[in-house]
Amino acid sequence: MPVTVHAPSPDLRDHIRRYVMVDHAAARADAHLPETGTLVAFVLRGTCELAGAGPAPAASVTGITETLRCHAHAAGNRVAIVAFTPAGAAALFRVPLEEFANRTVALAEAGLGRRDWAEETARLRAAPSDADRVRRLDGLFRSLLAGRRPDPLLAAATAWLHARPAGARIAALVRHVGLSQSALERSFRRGVGLTPKRFAALVRFREAARLAGTGLDFTTVAHAAGYADQAHFARDCQRVTGAAPSRFFAAN
């Protein structure tokens, strides 16, 4: 499954982490750990089925998710993915991002105005190379963002949580950003899609998954990632992946 990762233009990097082009030469099913930001995807060739939700729209947005994202790709399927920073997508969409949390929505239904997404997707498909696609994506999102910047408070808060996957405490975050807890929660739901507590739990699980991938035993993983004990990590793994750590990480 060839995967190529491309950086956005420097002026977009506060909004967009990366562009990813994924090719599926053979039919396959896959599952992806939750991301900590919103994703936009364009189907460049073939078809992709979303678990329990039918075919993926040609152009879609997937909000921040708390469980595995599962897909079934037809042979020849090709997808371009735009991965936003945790606070970056809020400057693009006119609706609270909690409306997209844990779901995939066609871009035509996502409140981005009257843009013809079928035509935009057709242009991406017709581009002669991935370098041209990246330039087109840069131009598209530069136009859509129209100079809007991510909320600096949200950007700082999500960066603070990312830097402390094993030790983040929401009370400390409240002190760090200078908002009340209720105001911070409203800001996170609107601009990220989850409450700060749920976002921190997602960051912590991703850190545990990274550590598990290095071959550490699960007790060490649990403590290093900030879980109270291995049982707590096991419950979180079951919630996110649907499987116990021993089963999930052995298969992945």
Side-chain angles (χ1 to χ4, degrees), residues 53-76:
S60 65
V61 53
T62 299
I64 192 168
T65 57
E66 298 173 273
T67 57
L68 293 182
R69 294 177 293 112
C70 300
H71 310 105
H73 302 274

Side-chain angles (χ1 to χ4, degrees), residues 9 15 20 44 58 108-109 123-124 127 137 140-141 156-157 178 189 201 245 250:
S9 175
H15 298 280
V20 186
L44 302 178
E109 302 169 9
R123 291 190 185 114
L124 286 172
L137 287 168
L140 170 63
F141 287 103
R189 286 196 300 269

Side-chain angles (χ1 to χ4, degrees), residues 128-147:
S129 69
D130 281 349
D132 290 291
R133 289 187 184 90
V134 167
R135 284 191 287 271
R136 181 165 289 281
L137 287 168
D138 276 343
L140 170 63
F141 287 103
R142 189 178 294 116
S143 171
L144 287 167
L145 287 161

Side-chain angles (χ1 to χ4, degrees), residues 204 208 211 217-231 233-234:
R204 180 177 59 185
L211 292 169
D217 65 87
F218 294 133
T219 298
T220 302
V221 166
H223 287 294
Y227 288 95
D229 51 39
Q230 185 178 343
F233 169 51

Side-chain angles (χ1 to χ4, degrees), residues 151-239:
D151 180 332
L153 184 148
L154 274 182
T158 54
W160 190 92
L161 290 170
H162 266 293
R164 296 162 178 80
R169 297 294 181 267
I170 302 306
L173 175 60
V174 167
R175 292 192 296 272
H176 176 71
V177 299
L179 287 181
S180 69
Q181 185 163 334
S182 60
L184 184 64
E185 288 186 357
R186 286 194 299 272
S187 183
F188 259 73
R189 286 196 300 269
R190 179 172 184 81
V192 177
L194 299 175
T195 65
K197 183 176 181 179
R198 288 163 64 188
F199 182 84
L202 180 55
V203 170
R204 180 177 59 185
F205 182 77
R206 285 187 59 89
E207 174 65 5
R210 184 190 70 80
L211 292 169
T214 68
L216 292 173
D217 65 87
F218 294 133
T219 298
T220 302
V221 166
H223 287 294
Y227 288 95
D229 51 39
Q230 185 178 343
H232 188 188
F233 169 51
R235 287 193 297 272
D236 213 22
C237 188
Q238 184 72 41
R239 177 185 63 81

Side-chain angles (χ1 to χ4, degrees), residues 18 26 38 51 73 86 99 101 112 121 132 135 149 202 205 226 246:
R18 60 189 178 274
T38 297
H73 302 274
E99 293 192 14
L112 287 177
T121 305
D132 290 291
R135 284 191 287 271
R149 309 306 304 167
L202 180 55
F205 182 77
S246 57

Side-chain angles (χ1 to χ4, degrees), residues 4 6 20-24 41-48 56-59 76-81 120-127 129-130 133-134 136-137:
T4 57
H6 308 266
V20 186
M21 310 292 173
V22 186
D23 285 281
H24 299 89
F42 299 92
V43 178
L44 302 178
R45 187 175 62 239
T47 59
C48 170
N77 178 227
R78 190 162 205 258
V79 183
I81 299 167
E120 294 290 356
T121 305
R123 291 190 185 114
L124 286 172
R125 290 171 176 168
S129 69
D130 281 349
R133 289 187 184 90
V134 167
R136 181 165 289 281
L137 287 168

